Amino acid sequence: MKRSFQVIALLCVILCLTACLSEKEVKTVEQVKQDFFAMNTGISITAYGDNSETALTAAEESVKELEKLWSATDSSSEIYKINHSGGQAITVSDETSSLLSFALDMADKTEGALEPTIYPVLLAWGFTTEKNRVPDEDELQRLLQNVGYGKVTLSGNEVRIPAEMELDLGAVGKGYTGDILTGILKDAGITSALINLGGNIQAIGTKPDGSDWRLGLRDPFGEGNVGVIEVSDMAVVTSGNYERYFIGEDGREYGHIINPATGYPVNNGLASVTVIAKEGKMCDTLSTSLFVMGADEAVNYWQQNQDFDMILITDDKEIYLTEGIKDKFSLSGNFNLKVLTA
Ligand code: ADP
Ligand code: MG
C-alpha cells in the first residue's frame, strides 16, 4: 500500500515536470516591447527571441542620436546648423550626408514632388509652431523663390545651401531611421520584430509563428481601418493630409504636405498613399511624393519604376492597388477596389 502510494507520488512529480517543461517550450519565444516618444511621434518596437532587450535599448539610443542630428528645430542639430549657415559650407556626419544624398536623388527622380527645401513654406503655414495661418499668394511666391533642391550642394560630408534656403527632411527621416533600426536588430540576431515609427512600419521577418504580420490600413475618413495588409520583411508607410491639418478661417482643411509647385497644401483628390517596399527610406519618400503627384501621375510613376507596391485611396472612396500587393490585401470597408497592372 505504502509502496503504491510512493509510485503514485513519483508519477505525479514526473507528470508535473513534463507539463512544466512543455509549457516552457511553447513560451520559448520571448517578446520585448519598447515604447517611447522621439522625432515628434510615438515610437513602438516589438522584438522576439534572445537578445531582444539589449537590441531594443540600442535601437532607442540610435533613434535619439539620429533625432539630435536631424531635428529642424533643435539648435544643436546638423540640419539646424545647415539652415543657419548663412551660405557657408557645413561638415556633417556620414548619416546626415547619406540621408541628404538619398533625399536629393529622390527629389530628382520625382521631378521635385519631393522637395527637401520646402521648410520656409511649411513655416509660413505654421505647421512646426502649431500657430497655423493661411499665407497670402504674394508671401508664398516670395518664399518659393528660395525653394529648389537643385541649389543644394553635397560633396562628401560637406553641405552648402544658399543663405535664404532651409532644409526639412521630415518626409524622409523616419523611413531612413527604420532602415537603420532594422540593421541594428538584424545584427543582434533578431529575426522577428515590428518597428512602428509613428505609423511608418518596418517588419523584420515574419511573426514568431511564421505567419505574415497583419497591418491595418487606416481609414483616412474616420476611425478604424479600411483593410488589412499582410507582409513579412517589408516596410509600409502611409502619407496623407488627414492626420496633421488645420481648418482655416475660410473653413477649408489645410494639411502638412505641400505641393512645391504652388506652395499650397496638397488638395488633388487623393486621401492617402501607402507604399510597400523593402526599404523604409524608399517608402517614406515615395508616399509623400506620390501624394503630391496625385493619382494619375502616381500611377505613371509606378508603371515606369515598379520597384514598389502602392495603395492609393481617393476622396471618392476608391482604392487603387498595384498587382503585387493584391493577394496580400483584404478590404473591410465600403470602398471600390481597382487593381493596377503594369
Ligand atoms: P509624416 O511625417 O506625417 O509621416 P510624411 O512622411 O508624408 O508624413 O512627411 C510630411 C512632412 O514632410 C511634413 O510635415 C513636412 O515636414 C515635409 N514636407 C511637406 N511637404 C513636402 C514635400 N513636398 N517634399 C518634402 N517634404 C515635405
Ligand atoms: Mg514620407
Side-chain angles (χ1 to χ4, degrees):
M1 187 67 189
K2 205 173 172 197
R3 196 179 177 83
S4 66
F5 177 76
Q6 278 173 342
V7 172
I8 291 170
L10 190 68
L11 272 175
C12 282
V13 171
I14 291 170
L15 270 177
C16 178
L17 271 178
T18 29
C20 294
L21 277 178
S22 61
E23 196 192 336
K24 200 164 178 215
E25 245 166 46
V26 174
K27 280 207 234 149
T28 43
V29 193
E30 179 203 3
Q31 185 210 62
V32 183
K33 193 162 180 267
Q34 193 122 331
D35 294 302
F36 54 98
F37 189 88
M39 299 188 162
N40 249 334
T41 195
I43 295 179
S44 164
I45 313 174
T46 310
Y48 295 85
D50 297 341
N51 252 351
S52 291
E53 205 143 339
T54 349
L56 289 197
T57 308
E60 180 172 348
E61 274 168 20
S62 170
V63 175
K64 301 264 164 80
E65 276 164 27
L66 296 170
E67 180 182 30
K68 270 193 218 148
L69 295 179
W70 299 338
S71 160
T73 46
D74 174 353
S75 60
S76 62
S77 85
E78 293 189 338
I79 295 301
Y80 188 95
K81 281 178 190 150
I82 300 168
N83 289 350
H84 296 83
S85 61
Q88 298 298 308
I90 299 286
T91 304
V92 297
S93 60
D94 289 346
E95 288 88 352
T96 301
S97 142
S98 134
L99 172 71
L100 185 57
S101 159
F102 181 74
L104 293 173
D105 280 351
M106 290 305 288
D108 219 23
K109 258 190 115 176
T110 61
E111 295 176 358
L114 186 84
E115 179 45 88
T117 67
I118 200 72
Y119 198 53
V121 177
L122 201 83
L123 287 178
W125 288 93
F127 277 110
T128 51
T129 54
E130 306 308 329
K131 285 188 192 119
N132 295 117
R133 57 187 270 274
V134 179
D136 66 33
E137 188 67 38
D138 285 351
E139 182 182 357
L140 288 176
Q141 286 311 318
R142 191 171 43 76
L143 290 171
L144 282 173
Q145 282 171 11
N146 296 313
V147 169
Y149 68 92
K151 288 187 191 153
V152 178
T153 48
L154 174 68
S155 145
N157 289 44
E158 272 207 350
V159 188
R160 190 195 292 270
I161 62 173
E164 304 75 23
M165 190 173 261
E166 288 189 78
L167 298 179
D168 170 13
L169 298 172
V172 203
K174 274 184 280 167
Y176 197 87
T177 302
D179 293 329
I180 292 175
L181 298 188
T182 300
I184 291 174
L185 298 191
K186 282 190 172 170
D187 286 349
I190 308 285
T191 54
S192 174
L194 198 69
I195 302 168
N196 182 347
L197 296 142
N200 283 33
I201 307 286
Q202 199 113 0
I204 297 178
T206 60
K207 287 202 283 193
D209 66 4
S211 65
D212 281 343
W213 300 98
R214 292 169 54 81
L215 311 174
L217 178 63
R218 266 286 307 272
D219 182 346
F221 308 107
E223 297 300 307
N225 299 325
V226 305
V228 171
I229 312 166
E230 289 171 76
V231 291
S232 59
D233 255 323
M234 280 284 168
V236 181
V237 177
T238 301
S239 283
N241 268 342
Y242 58 90
E243 235 165 29
R244 271 213 275 157
Y245 67 90
F246 72 95
I247 297 173
E249 280 168 12
D250 54 5
R252 291 181 54 193
E253 283 180 12
Y254 295 100
H256 70 135
I257 302 176
I258 308 286
N259 179 355
T262 61
Y264 277 85
V266 169
N267 179 16
N268 57 16
L270 271 184
S272 76
V273 174
T274 299
V275 176
I276 303 112
K278 285 279 172 205
E279 290 185 306
K281 61 179 179 184
M282 182 79 148
C283 294
D284 200 3
T285 44
L286 280 180
S287 65
T288 309
S289 42
L290 298 173
F291 185 72
V292 171
M293 287 180 201
D296 290 351
E297 251 190 82
V299 172
N300 264 334
Y301 186 93
W302 173 74
Q303 280 171 334
Q304 275 160 29
N305 292 278
Q306 287 189 45
D307 47 357
F308 62 96
D309 277 298
M310 65 178 186
I311 305 177
L312 310 178
I313 305 184
T314 70
D315 290 339
D316 303 335
K317 295 207 158 190
E318 295 202 307
I319 299 185
Y320 294 86
L321 77 171
T322 52
E323 49 192 348
I325 195 76
K326 90 173 191 302
D327 296 333
K328 296 282 183 185
F329 178 74
S330 39
L331 181 72
S332 52
N334 188 17
F335 291 78
N336 228 333
L337 204 63
K338 288 185 181 164
V339 177
L340 299 164
T341 49

